[in-house]
Amino acid sequence: PRSAMDAVGPGPIRGHGCGSSSGPSSGRPSPYPGGVRGRGRGRGRDGSRGGGRFDRAKNDYAQHFVDTGLRPANFIRDSDAGDRFHEYPKLKELASRKDERIAERATPPTSKRVDLRDFDLTSLGTKFDVILIDPPWDEYRRRKAAVGGLMEGEEMEVWSPQEIMDLRIDAVSETASFCFLWSGSGASLQWGRACLRKWGFRRCEDICWIKSNRASGRNTHYLPESVVTPTTEHCLMGIKGTVRRNFDGHLIHANVDTDVMLSEEPPFGSPEKPAELYSIIEHFCNGCRRLELFGGDHNVRRGWLTLGKEISASTHDATTWAAHFKGTVESYNTEGGGTSFLPNHLLGTTAEIEALRPKSPTQLREEASKKTLHEAREKDAR
């Protein structure tokens, strides 16, 4: 909802072009000695090249990072997920109603301690609508070692790209399903795209996690093939089957959240990811059979089946898990109003959610046409 550039940060102005500077006349402290740095290359007010000292102020976040080590992400407004929709009451109410529906339909927290190298995923009892994977890439080991998070003699599990590709994700994913694959920020991004293709998914989105360093001020260089400091990680999203946003509202609700997350970088090179991703996935995907691989105890949550070697307790039973999704669920009929019934592995929706969620102009016209046709048929029937 808000551009990352609409920020109050180290630069001298907000917004675009002209405005008050952070120099001596503005009343705001400047992060640069002596006020605004340098002169603009554009023309000054008199038409001459170069411009005056305050004719062209700039938000130079990159230079501020070089000078102070503070990342540009530290200065983005409303970055916290709880404050993001403060100026968008309709989206805020939509997210609240979606959360209520998700909590109402969520399965109990379910986990299973397994070694995924030799575990048969097809024995879990169902196929899945959503699969979240956070593999132990070699990039994570290099990062943890670079920040001093690895103790002498400590081993950290690393999977090769081929081992990750050999996971039987294709065998447990429903025909219309979504895969979210954490792929780091280096060479593992290319391997992540290859994994999605191997499992029968086509990449359709890249969810970006921007890491701030407000608390630590630390920056670590751990990618040998990169000349810049990595401050992001990417979660690749793949889709299997055909899902059309204008027609398949029972499967997806688009444009509820952004595709960017911003939070503080975990300390000591921890591979832990922001919990906000769960909300993004649950708001978008209306399937309730959700699977997470390579999880730990901190990942176990309602509505998900979590698998990993670091799980302390196994609560999964294939028969019980499958029983959660038998039968049908009552849902609002988006084609003509009233009530309809969907397979129980789908979330379902309500009239309030459908009225609030963003829709494309084409979808709005189609819904209006369907409603008119439905009313005409009811009138003829009477």
Side-chain angles (χ1 to χ4, degrees), residues 1-2 73-87 210 212 214 257-258 260-264 276:
R2 182 180 297 279
N74 296 1
F75 306 98
I76 296 178
R77 287 178 47 191
D78 300 337
S79 60
D80 184 75
D83 300 330
R84 191 164 301 155
F85 301 125
H86 179 68
E87 297 180 10
I210 304 174
S212 60
R214 296 185 182 98
D257 288 294
T258 67
V260 177
M261 300 176 291
L262 195 154
S263 62
E264 189 76 3
E276 184 183 349

Side-chain angles (χ1 to χ4, degrees), residues 21 43 146 188 222 256 259 269 276 299 335 380:
S21 71
R43 296 188 179 275
S188 50
Y222 58 87
V256 178
D259 56 3
E276 184 183 349
N299 299 115
E335 295 191 0
D380 291 342

Side-chain angles (χ1 to χ4, degrees), residues 11-32:
I13 61 173
R14 275 189 59 191
H16 305 279
C18 299
S20 61
S21 71
S22 59
S25 63
S26 69
R28 286 180 54 194
S30 170
Y32 307 120

Side-chain angles (χ1 to χ4, degrees), residues 104-375:
E104 176 188 329
R105 298 275 295 125
T107 57
T110 309
S111 59
K112 193 176 186 69
R113 183 175 182 175
V114 298
D115 186 347
L116 290 168
R117 293 183 188 274
D118 51 27
F119 179 72
D120 181 12
L121 293 175
T122 61
S123 66
L124 292 173
T126 65
K127 289 194 172 185
F128 293 88
D129 308 301
V130 177
I131 302 176
L132 172 60
I133 311 171
D134 187 10
W137 299 102
D138 182 58
E139 177 182 321
Y140 297 166
R141 180 192 59 78
R142 292 202 307 269
R143 180 177 63 205
K144 193 168 185 178
V147 302
L150 274 180
M151 305 298 291
E152 186 176 352
E154 180 184 355
E155 294 292 332
M156 183 174 177
E157 183 180 25
V158 172
W159 281 41
S160 70
Q162 188 58 54
E163 288 176 316
I164 298 169
M165 293 177 70
D166 288 342
L167 287 169
R168 294 295 310 282
I169 305 302
D170 55 327
V172 295
S173 52
E174 190 57 82
T175 301
S177 59
F178 301 89
C179 180
F180 294 82
L181 176 63
W182 282 106
S183 301
S185 56
S188 50
L189 265 173
Q190 297 294 337
W191 285 111
R193 298 183 182 101
C195 288
L196 290 179
R197 289 194 297 269
K198 171 72 162 42
W199 298 332
F201 291 82
R202 65 182 184 279
R203 186 177 69 87
C204 59
E205 188 60 89
D206 184 340
I207 300 174
C208 184
W209 173 28
I210 304 174
K211 305 176 186 178
S212 60
N213 66 344
R214 296 185 182 98
S216 68
R218 174 182 291 181
N219 295 285
T220 306
H221 189 82
Y222 58 87
L223 295 180
E225 67 275 11
S226 176
V227 297
V228 296
T229 302
T231 62
T232 62
E233 284 192 52
H234 299 263
C235 181
L236 303 179
M237 172 183 164
I239 182 173
K240 180 179 180 181
T242 301
V243 179
R244 302 161 297 177
R245 59 181 296 175
N246 288 352
F247 299 97
D248 296 322
H250 61 294
L251 297 177
I252 62 170
H253 282 172
N255 300 328
V256 178
D257 288 294
T258 67
D259 56 3
V260 177
M261 300 176 291
L262 195 154
S263 62
E264 189 76 3
E265 183 171 29
F268 307 114
S270 169
E272 189 171 334
K273 302 302 190 297
E276 184 183 349
L277 182 65
Y278 294 109
S279 295
I280 292 176
I281 293 173
E282 292 167 359
H283 287 170
F284 175 74
C285 305
N286 288 336
C288 296
R289 298 173 299 184
R290 309 184 189 101
L291 172 68
E292 180 172 7
L293 303 182
F294 300 101
D297 286 338
H298 65 278
N299 299 115
V300 178
R301 59 188 285 125
R302 285 178 56 83
W304 290 78
L305 168 58
T306 309
L307 272 58
K309 288 177 67 174
E310 299 179 3
I311 299 291
S312 59
S314 295
T315 59
H316 172 263
D317 175 76
T319 303
T320 304
W321 174 258
H324 290 310
F325 309 105
K326 291 182 178 179
T328 58
V329 60
E330 185 176 313
S331 177
Y332 176 74
N333 185 353
T334 58
E335 295 191 0
T339 302
S340 62
F341 291 90
L342 299 174
N344 201 31
H345 68 89
L346 296 177
L347 182 66
T349 188
T350 65
E352 293 79 11
I353 290 175
E354 290 303 310
L356 289 166
R357 72 182 183 91
K359 300 170 186 174
S360 66
T362 302
Q363 190 172 5
L364 291 172
R365 288 194 297 269
E366 289 170 350
E367 289 186 357
S369 177
K370 289 178 181 177
K371 185 176 181 179
T372 302
L373 180 60
H374 180 74
E375 292 174 351

